[in-house]
Amino acid sequence: MKNLLLLLGVVLTLAACNTPRGASSSQETPTDSVITMNGPGVFLDPDSDDEEDTVTEGNYSLPVYNPAAKRINDLIHTRLDLRFDWAAEKVIGKADLTLRPYFHPTDKVTLDAKDFTFENVSLSGAKQPLKYEYNGEQITIQLGRPYARTEQYTLHIEYTAKPSSSGGSAVITSNKGLFFINPKGEDPDKPMQIWTQGETRWNSRWFPTIDQPNERCTQEVYLTVEDRFQTLSNGLLSKSTKNADGTRTDYWKMDLPHAPYLFMIAVGEYAVVEDKWRNVPLQYYVEPEYKASAKAIFPHTPEMLEFFSTKLGVTYPWAKYAQIVVRDFVSGAMENTTAVTFGEFVQKHSIDLIDDRTNEKIVAHEMMHHWFGDLVTCENWANLTLNEGFANYSEYLWLENRYGREEADYHMLEEWQGYFSSAEMSVHPLIHFSYEDDEDMFDAHSYNKGGSVLHMLRYYVGDEAFFAALKLYLDKHAFAAVEVHDLRLAFEAVTGEDLNWFFNQWFLEAGHPTLAISYDYDAESGKATITVEQTQDPELMPAIFDIPTAVDIYFENAPKRREQIRLTERGQTFDFEVPARPALMVFDPEKVLLCEKEEEKTEQEYVFQYFNAPSLSDRLEALQYLVQNESEEMLPVFNAGLSDPFWLIRAVSVGYADFEETPIITQIRQMAKTDPHSVVRREAMNNLTQWEDEEAVATARYLLEKDSIYSVLAAALSTLAAADEAAALQYARKWENTTNETLLSIVSDLYSANGSPEFLPFFERQLAKADGFSALSIFGGYQSLLAKADLAQTLPGLSNMHTIATDSAQSLWRKFSATKVLMDMSNAFKAKAETLEDQSMKAQYNAKADELRAQVEAIRDAETDDDLKGIYNQMLEGGE
């Protein structure tokens, strides 16, 4: 049986509940337990028979707690004048910072400034320098006299910064703050760029500031660069002045305050595509090659601004909205106020983005931050989900609005799976004050669980109250820092309900419920029952969650009925009077509870569920059960699935439908040609080929002429190649320069299988840019042609492979692929030598084989990555 999840990732392997989780309640402490305080310490033994309490001495310690930063000085305005030494990768800056004491008078100020050299530190307009102390991380400046909170002062700081990295995280891989890309222009395949990434506290690597999320200020930035470069920063470009030395100074001004981590600059050679929403200017910065695709790269930007502004009841508050793609970005994207930065993975041609929702979701995510994160900012990183949870949930809201609830629910399934996978390793509260490092907060809790909890809250209070509460929260806390209680109070003010129970268990407690659910029917009493047991580990999370939900009861010949229930115990049974045995009972019919569940249902109930329960999750659950249990009822269900309204079900069904039935084969042939979703067309083509349909090649030829989606073309080309190599090669030549990895891989496989040296130039062109998984195909195809060429023809190519394999600046994919070519060619030369009678040629091939093997051994010995070193050992030992 083929894998049901051929293209669906993890969706159908979910053993989890297809709903957001419920709320948690306080755990009860058994009366006979020994209560300790903060681990080893002093405790009283309640079972002691002694007249006096026995005291055990230990070490008290407070738990780790990461508070919001104490505010001593309030940063009001930042003015930066920046130039750059590209070759030395330095920032030459002047900063004018306007501050005032926050409340208490003070005669000093401490600023974050990592790895700076200071040329001047003074009060603005004063000639006398100020005294200061600097430890490489922070500068503490003596102001010369005490200032009261009614007095402002402006510091003038001239400095040089050389940003460096002291680490990174899984989400933000480097904390360098400011990055020079190809600064000397030595790589012809990479543009020269400068860009910044300030979250969490890394903008202080390139300008002095109070680098905390509960700080905010307005800003001005002057950027002096070569005239050939475009620049971008927060706010509006107010002025651009060409200088006599061939440089240009751009003046960017931001009139509304925002947090220092949201400051950004970018410099590079870009095509800038202009757009507009209402009176707000929009700009899309892409590399010139992608200018025609810019609006597809940042899809539906004006529509999203309109949708979120209307939905939230708070109009987009900033002066512009710009989006820029940068090379070698250290995160996915970053919501810098008015100027969002994206990694190069989003930069594709329009044709590659059809039916791919990735860019839409990430554009929505970063845009929503302009309300949640930029306008209203978490006061500390422990409250990060107040930024990221909302941004995560924006993806659901946008998909629901544009494509319908099932597209959004499919996305939510993926989000839950990401969280559940993370929770298998560790759980912590959404509001998590005891983290070890700021970067630890950027995980599937803050993002995935945060969005899921908001989804659940929306369904609990209802849409009208949910969005009214968000409007109140945004209006009340605009341009301010918040904590989770501010959100709770907004919801309580709108709904009139005490919601501590919800926020305590979902935001302040860890984990999620695990539910064992069974159903029964008693004919004598005429009652149907549902029993739910909460089985989550009470040592890791609340033993009992408070879960308001519902049960849908279906009958064969009567309308379904919905019953509201509320779980408040570890185990509960609910009885319902019914006119007949239910055909099906569905727990949490809206599929909004964040939980893992195991249910006891029969095969007949799952079949009924597929045909009658309305949600995508219900249908996927039914398909999962039928496949896992190899049910005899599979074929009629999957045959029906070919006509399902949602593309995901259709894509799965083509792999399990009854290929013995002519009408079904006819339907799948038609789906391959005309289904509106490219994933379905691709899967239909693949399955026609696998089942050796007599019209598969004709269908492939049709798609190669009529379709335009690369994944579909790749499937069709693969089918044609197996039947008619010459015809396939003609089509392949059309796509030699495609950037689509899937199609390029098929072309590579075709050329390497053909074996003609005429295709070597194709591989040599592709080698320079092949990376990631596609590098295996390109480098492997190149090797197969080298193995068929004369020894003299292979030498330049092998020299190039050795250069790539030993270049520390290359990616692991490229280094590994090049090393594998060297090893495979060593083996090929040894095999070739065995077939030769000419002793001179035999010696040459053996000598080259030994040389290549020695190169691989040297590469292995120099490798610092243990996993890669182990793979190289396997190569040398003759393994895969």
Side-chain angles (χ1 to χ4, degrees):
M1 182 69 70
K2 69 177 63 177
N3 183 358
L4 181 62
L5 303 181
L6 185 61
L7 58 118
L8 309 178
V10 295
V11 173
L12 296 185
T13 59
L14 282 174
C17 168
N18 295 325
T19 59
R21 314 292 173 89
S24 100
S25 60
S26 301
Q27 298 185 44
E28 296 181 0
T29 303
T31 57
D32 60 349
S33 66
V34 174
I35 302 174
T36 64
M37 300 176 61
N38 297 322
V42 176
F43 66 86
L44 303 182
D45 183 353
D47 296 328
S48 173
D49 294 329
D50 294 342
E51 292 183 3
E52 295 183 1
D53 293 324
T54 301
V55 178
T56 302
E57 293 296 335
N59 293 319
Y60 288 106
S61 62
L62 287 171
V64 174
Y65 181 78
N66 293 284
K70 182 177 180 180
R71 302 191 67 190
I72 299 172
N73 285 277
D74 183 15
L75 181 60
I76 298 169
H77 184 71
T78 298
R79 181 184 184 275
L80 301 175
D81 187 344
L82 305 177
R83 298 171 181 266
F84 307 96
D85 182 338
W86 288 76
E89 299 187 31
K90 291 181 178 180
V91 179
I92 299 115
K94 298 177 182 179
D96 292 279
L97 308 181
T98 301
L99 305 100
R100 66 173 180 84
Y102 186 77
F103 186 83
H104 298 290
T106 185
D107 61 356
K108 62 184 177 182
V109 61
T110 298
L111 302 174
D112 297 293
K114 302 175 177 71
D115 298 320
F116 281 35
T117 300
F118 295 99
E119 284 79 42
N120 180 30
V121 178
S122 61
L123 288 171
S124 182
K127 296 181 179 180
Q128 185 69 26
L130 295 173
K131 295 179 180 180
Y132 65 86
E133 294 180 355
Y134 182 56
N135 63 8
E137 294 279 329
Q138 293 182 315
I139 180 171
T140 299
I141 304 169
Q142 301 297 326
L143 299 175
R145 69 171 178 87
Y147 284 78
R149 65 178 179 271
T150 56
E151 295 181 280
Q152 292 187 6
Y153 59 91
T154 299
L155 296 172
H156 177 73
I157 302 173
E158 298 178 18
Y159 65 93
T160 300
K162 184 172 176 57
S164 62
S165 176
S166 61
S169 67
V171 175
I172 304 172
T173 58
S174 172
N175 59 19
K176 191 174 181 178
L178 182 144
F179 298 76
F180 289 84
I181 305 302
N182 193 24
K184 299 177 183 178
E186 295 171 334
D187 185 345
D189 297 312
K190 183 173 288 188
M192 294 174 65
Q193 294 178 352
I194 298 171
W195 49 261
T196 60
Q197 164 57 35
E199 198 171 37
T200 50
R201 295 176 292 110
W202 311 121
N203 272 340
S204 52
R205 291 197 188 278
W206 58 278
F207 70 93
T209 189
I210 300 175
D211 210 350
Q212 296 291 343
N214 61 349
E215 190 59 74
R216 61 181 60 237
C217 66
T218 53
Q219 76 181 73
E220 298 170 88
V221 177
Y222 293 81
L223 295 173
T224 299
V225 297
E226 290 182 51
D227 194 32
R228 64 190 173 104
F229 290 126
Q230 297 283 351
T231 72
L232 178 64
S233 189
N234 314 91
L236 294 174
L237 179 61
S238 298
K239 188 178 180 181
S240 188
T241 304
K242 292 193 176 184
N243 306 314
D245 60 357
T247 65
R248 189 186 73 253
T249 300
D250 290 344
Y251 169 46
W252 294 89
K253 187 176 183 181
M254 180 81 170
D255 287 330
L256 296 176
H258 64 146
Y261 79 89
L262 296 167
F263 281 40
M264 73 83 69
I265 59 171
V267 179
E269 294 183 278
Y270 284 98
V272 183
V273 176
E274 303 284 344
D275 202 354
K276 182 176 281 190
W277 169 76
R278 296 189 186 179
N279 291 320
V280 177
L282 313 178
Q283 293 103 32
Y284 313 131
Y285 284 65
V286 295
E287 292 174 28
E289 175 188 347
Y290 296 91
K291 182 177 181 179
S293 300
K295 291 185 178 181
I297 291 168
F298 306 114
H300 311 300
T301 295
E303 296 90 340
M304 285 187 192
L305 285 166
E306 185 66 37
F307 170 68
F308 290 132
S309 293
T310 302
K311 197 74 172 174
L312 297 171
V314 178
T315 302
Y316 176 77
W318 309 100
K320 78 158 189 297
Y321 194 75
Q323 298 168 101
I324 187 169
V325 179
V326 302
R327 290 291 188 100
D328 301 339
F329 197 46
V330 294
S331 187
M334 180 60 204
E335 66 272 14
N336 314 297
T337 316
T338 76
V340 180
T341 308
F342 293 81
E344 65 195 270
F345 69 95
V346 304
Q347 191 168 244
K348 301 177 182 178
H349 293 292
S350 299
I351 196 71
D352 290 308
L353 295 167
I354 297 175
D355 289 338
D356 183 350
R357 306 279 183 250
T358 301
N359 283 20
E360 273 184 79
K361 290 186 287 189
I362 197 168
V363 167
H365 183 110
E366 304 308 323
M367 185 182 292
M368 181 63 99
H369 270 307
H370 282 71
W371 287 269
F372 299 93
D374 297 5
L375 180 63
V376 177
T377 311
C378 64
E379 70 173 13
N380 61 357
W381 302 115
N383 282 274
L384 178 64
T385 196
L386 298 182
N387 292 8
E388 296 299 348
F390 280 102
N392 179 280
Y393 193 47
S394 73
E395 301 169 29
Y396 183 98
L397 293 173
W398 170 252
L399 293 172
E400 181 185 40
N401 168 69
R402 184 163 183 86
Y403 301 104
R405 182 172 174 183
E406 290 199 336
E407 188 74 48
D409 282 349
Y410 172 47
H411 171 67
M412 186 62 76
L413 288 173
E414 295 178 306
E415 293 301 299
W416 289 341
Q417 182 61 25
Y419 163 68
F420 292 139
S421 297
S422 173
E424 288 178 359
M425 296 178 285
S426 67
V427 293
H428 62 76
L430 277 180
I431 309 302
H432 185 37
F433 288 99
S434 59
Y435 62 80
E436 294 184 7
D437 187 273
D438 295 345
E439 310 293 323
D440 295 343
M441 290 301 298
F442 293 81
D443 64 3
H445 285 68
S446 296
Y447 287 72
N448 305 42
K449 183 181 180 182
S452 302
V453 169
L454 293 172
H455 187 55
M456 190 162 41
L457 181 59
R458 174 188 174 192
Y459 272 86
Y460 179 74
V461 302
D463 267 26
E464 185 176 1
F466 181 78
F467 290 105
L470 295 189
K471 175 174 169 52
L472 175 62
Y473 171 76
L474 292 169
D475 285 341
K476 185 175 181 179
H477 302 290
F479 306 107
V482 291
E483 60 181 337
V484 71
H485 299 298
D486 295 311
L487 181 65
R488 173 179 58 81
L489 291 171
F491 272 88
E492 291 184 345
V494 167
T495 64
E497 179 180 354
D498 187 327
L499 291 170
N500 269 293
W501 67 271
F502 184 94
F503 280 79
N504 285 348
Q505 72 181 8
W506 288 113
F507 286 93
L508 302 176
E509 295 273 10
H512 57 276
T514 302
L515 307 178
I517 305 169
S518 61
Y519 306 93
D520 203 358
Y521 170 69
D522 187 329
E524 185 174 342
S525 64
K527 291 184 177 180
T529 63
I530 176 174
T531 298
V532 185
E533 182 181 0
Q534 299 192 37
T535 62
Q536 62 272 7
D537 185 348
E539 293 186 2
L540 298 176
M541 57 193 76
I544 303 170
F545 281 77
D546 182 353
I547 307 174
T549 185
V551 179
D552 275 358
I553 306 174
Y554 290 80
F555 304 96
E556 290 284 359
N557 299 304
K560 77 173 181 182
R561 186 170 108 204
R562 177 162 294 184
E563 297 283 352
Q564 300 297 323
I565 63 173
R566 189 158 190 155
L567 307 180
T568 57
E569 301 174 17
R570 186 73 171 173
Q572 281 175 272
T573 298
F574 301 89
D575 297 329
F576 310 102
E577 292 186 1
V578 292
R581 175 184 290 275
L584 175 69
M585 297 176 71
V586 175
F587 176 81
D588 178 33
E590 292 295 336
K591 298 295 183 277
V592 293
L593 291 179
L594 186 61
C595 69
E596 295 179 273
K597 70 176 183 179
E598 293 183 1
E599 289 189 274
E600 295 181 8
K601 290 181 184 177
T602 66
E603 179 180 287
Q604 291 73 26
E605 287 173 325
Y606 275 115
V607 172
F608 186 94
Q609 179 171 308
Y610 176 82
F611 286 106
N612 295 277
S615 80
L616 173 65
S617 297
D618 286 324
R619 303 203 299 284
L620 288 173
E621 277 185 359
L623 297 182
Q624 177 185 359
Y625 175 88
L626 295 175
V627 169
Q628 288 180 342
N629 292 275
E630 299 187 356
S631 167
E632 294 181 358
E633 299 295 328
M634 282 178 56
L635 289 180
V637 173
F638 281 107
N639 288 349
L642 296 176
S643 302
D644 195 275
F646 190 62
W647 64 268
L648 177 69
I649 303 291
R650 299 196 303 276
V652 172
S653 295
V654 296
Y656 292 91
D658 188 358
F659 269 81
E660 300 298 324
E661 295 290 330
T662 300
I664 297 300
I665 297 175
T666 300
Q667 183 177 0
I668 293 176
R669 290 170 184 159
Q670 193 61 35
M671 292 170 72
K673 295 178 180 178
T674 63
D675 193 277
H677 202 287
S678 62
V679 172
V680 180
R681 300 199 300 278
R682 183 192 72 194
E683 289 307 297
M685 182 71 260
N686 285 335
N687 280 280
L688 288 171
T689 302
Q690 180 171 329
W691 288 95
E692 298 180 351
D693 175 53
E694 61 185 16
E695 295 188 20
V697 173
T699 303
R701 290 180 182 274
Y702 175 91
L703 292 173
L704 289 167
E705 292 295 332
K706 302 291 186 181
D707 214 301
S708 59
I709 306 302
Y710 288 138
S711 61
V712 180
L713 293 172
L717 185 59
S718 181
T719 298
L720 181 61
D724 189 341
E725 181 186 358
L729 285 171
Q730 288 184 341
Y731 283 106
R733 289 185 173 90
K734 294 169 50 179
W735 297 306
E736 281 190 356
N737 296 315
T738 181
T739 58
N740 180 269
E741 291 187 0
T742 303
L743 187 54
L744 197 61
S745 177
I746 300 297
V747 174
S748 169
D749 290 345
L750 262 171
Y751 286 174
S752 61
N754 179 270
S756 172
E758 71 173 289
F759 298 121
L760 276 171
F762 161 80
F763 286 100
E764 288 163 354
R765 290 195 304 272
Q766 296 299 329
L767 286 173
K769 54 188 176 182
D771 205 349
F773 191 76
S774 67
L776 296 176
S777 177
I778 297 298
F779 280 73
Y782 184 56
Q783 184 273 325
S784 68
L785 292 189
L786 286 179
K788 296 171 184 175
D790 292 336
L791 182 60
Q793 291 178 289
T794 69
L795 297 181
L798 292 174
S799 176
N800 185 35
M801 292 298 99
H802 184 258
T803 299
I804 294 172
T806 55
D807 182 358
S808 61
Q810 299 284 338
S811 72
L812 288 179
W813 285 99
R814 288 177 58 79
K815 289 196 298 181
F816 166 75
S817 299
T819 304
K820 189 173 187 304
V821 170
L822 297 176
M823 190 70 250
D824 289 346
M825 287 302 296
S826 174
N827 294 334
F829 285 162
K830 280 289 185 185
K832 176 78 170 179
E834 292 295 324
T835 67
L836 296 175
E837 294 183 1
D838 185 310
Q839 294 304 307
S840 175
M841 290 299 298
K842 181 189 288 284
Q844 289 183 50
Y845 273 99
N846 277 324
K848 191 62 182 176
D850 292 340
E851 178 187 337
L852 294 176
R853 182 179 180 84
Q855 290 178 357
V856 174
E857 289 174 345
I859 292 168
R860 175 203 59 193
D861 295 341
E863 181 57 54
T864 58
D865 184 282
D866 290 340
D867 291 335
L868 199 53
K869 186 185 288 283
I871 294 172
Y872 291 159
N873 271 326
Q874 291 182 17
M875 283 185 187
L876 290 162
E877 293 169 2
E880 291 297 325

